[in-house]
Amino acid sequence: MSSFVVALDVGGTSMKGGLVSESGVVLLTERRPTPREEGPDAAVTAIRDFISHLAASGDGIPSGVGLAVPGLVSENSAVYSANIGWRDVPAADFTALDVPVRLGHDVQTGGLAENVLGAGQGVDDFLFLPIGTGIAGALILRGEPYGGSSGWGGEIGHIPVFPDGEQCACGQFGCLETYASAASVGRRYSQRAGLSGVKAEEVVASDDPLAVEVWDEAVEALSLALATYTLLLDPSMIVLGGGLAEAGPALFDPVCTRLVKRLAFRDAPPLVPAALGVDAGMLGASLLGWRAAGRPDLGPGWTVNVRSAPLVS
Ligand SMILES: [Zn+2]
């Protein structure tokens, strides 16, 4: 009988689950939708069923369960998620199995995975910044994700970059996310051009002057936020992930140039693409599962290949 953990990354729209062995072999992965419409209890039940189902696909009883969830999180409870609507759900409620469970914040758990297995291997101080529908960051300080005094640490998406700017969904004005998330880039161009539903990647690729302007503002907002982060915390590198990082040099080159320009008396940290892509959350959750099982030593040295694992759906 081989030992394994159940790992689950709970996103706003879908959940990605997997079984990960002691040596880092991803035994299988599976995806299910996150029920959001039916209220928080339905979401907790769906997670519990998914974990039981994944565990039953393994050989024996799992050694632990790791879960990456959105919102405000402690090791032992899902404190609050605006997206899903839950408040103070104890970790044990997420599983019917009598095995140790550990929870992590979704982005911080992705940052943990990039730290142990991905682009930030061997790097103690870096920022992991996935840019997707929204923007949130994981601060890796001294080799561990840092959530601050109340768990809100890392909300870089809501740093005000243009103080007199547009109002953000969060209520503040001029937030980074309002200008530079993939959703915002698409929305802002669509509004200006009188179109609807244009995607960020189309804006990046377009030579329409309105598209160039919107992209330029996104790059400007990012370089401002990253200069602030660099001056405050002096990271060794900044790992950019999420859908918008797929833009490659169209994102990295101009942000890097402007970041260098903004930092007069010190070098800019290198901007590096994330290595684990959409699997970062699930892989980070597997590390949490092993930590819950009393094996914090596992992870370093794994060569994970999620794509070779059978995808059950
Ligand atoms: Zn905001």
Side-chain angles (χ1 to χ4, degrees):
M1 202 195 310
S2 66
S3 55
F4 64 94
V5 291
V6 176
L8 191 62
D9 179 18
V10 179
T13 53
S14 73
M15 307 188 277
K16 180 163 194 181
L19 299 183
V20 180
S21 83
E22 216 170 341
S23 54
V25 177
V26 182
L27 302 165
L28 65 87
T29 62
E30 189 168 340
R31 207 176 258 287
R32 284 188 180 181
T34 308
R36 283 173 58 189
E37 312 300 321
E38 300 96 279
D41 292 345
V44 173
T45 303
I47 291 169
R48 196 161 46 215
D49 291 350
F50 195 10
I51 289 173
S52 296
H53 165 79
L54 287 163
S57 314
D59 179 15
I61 297 162
S63 303
V65 172
L67 275 145
V69 298
L72 202 54
V73 184
S74 76
E75 257 178 40
N76 304 313
S77 72
V79 180
Y80 172 68
S81 164
N83 239 332
I84 300 180
W86 59 41
R87 275 180 193 277
D88 298 316
V89 184
D93 285 16
F94 288 109
T95 172
L97 308 170
D98 187 20
V99 299
V101 188
R102 189 171 293 190
L103 294 175
H105 175 272
D106 51 0
V107 180
Q108 282 173 26
T109 303
L112 172 70
E114 287 289 345
N115 189 198
V116 176
L117 309 166
Q121 272 183 70
V123 180
D124 276 351
D125 289 274
F126 70 94
L127 168 65
F128 171 54
L129 191 69
I131 309 174
T133 310
I135 298 182
L139 289 58
I140 309 296
L141 303 181
R142 297 187 172 167
E144 282 296 322
Y146 179 73
S149 62
S150 60
W152 284 118
E155 290 292 347
I156 296 164
H158 302 284
I159 285 183
V161 285
F162 301 131
D164 302 319
E166 296 171 18
Q167 189 166 23
C168 177
C170 78
Q172 295 178 172
F173 288 86
C175 294
L176 171 65
E177 181 172 297
T178 307
Y179 292 86
S181 71
S184 294
V185 168
R187 172 186 52 79
R188 297 184 77 240
Y189 172 71
S190 299
Q191 280 169 356
R192 249 176 243 196
L195 300 166
S196 70
V198 183
K199 292 195 170 7
E201 58 261 36
E202 298 172 274
V203 179
V204 176
S206 168
D207 51 12
D208 174 354
L210 291 175
V212 173
E213 197 175 270
V214 164
W215 184 236
D216 186 71
E217 285 163 7
V219 166
E220 179 71 359
L222 273 169
S223 74
L224 277 162
L226 295 183
T228 302
Y229 186 91
T230 300
L231 291 164
L232 195 60
L233 289 166
D234 186 28
S236 301
M237 62 166 66
I238 293 170
V239 177
L240 298 179
L244 208 59
E246 311 275 308
L251 171 73
F252 284 78
D253 292 353
V255 173
C256 182
T257 305
R258 268 188 237 192
L259 181 58
V260 167
K261 259 193 208 156
R262 286 201 179 279
L263 299 170
F265 59 83
R266 59 153 297 154
D267 289 341
L271 302 182
V272 176
L276 303 173
V278 294
D279 300 317
M282 189 276 289
L283 290 169
S286 79
L287 297 173
L288 295 180
W290 280 116
R291 288 177 179 194
R295 297 297 307 274
D297 56 309
L298 296 183
W302 286 359
T303 41
V304 290
N305 190 347
V306 178
R307 264 150 226 143
S308 68
L311 175 68
V312 188
S313 57

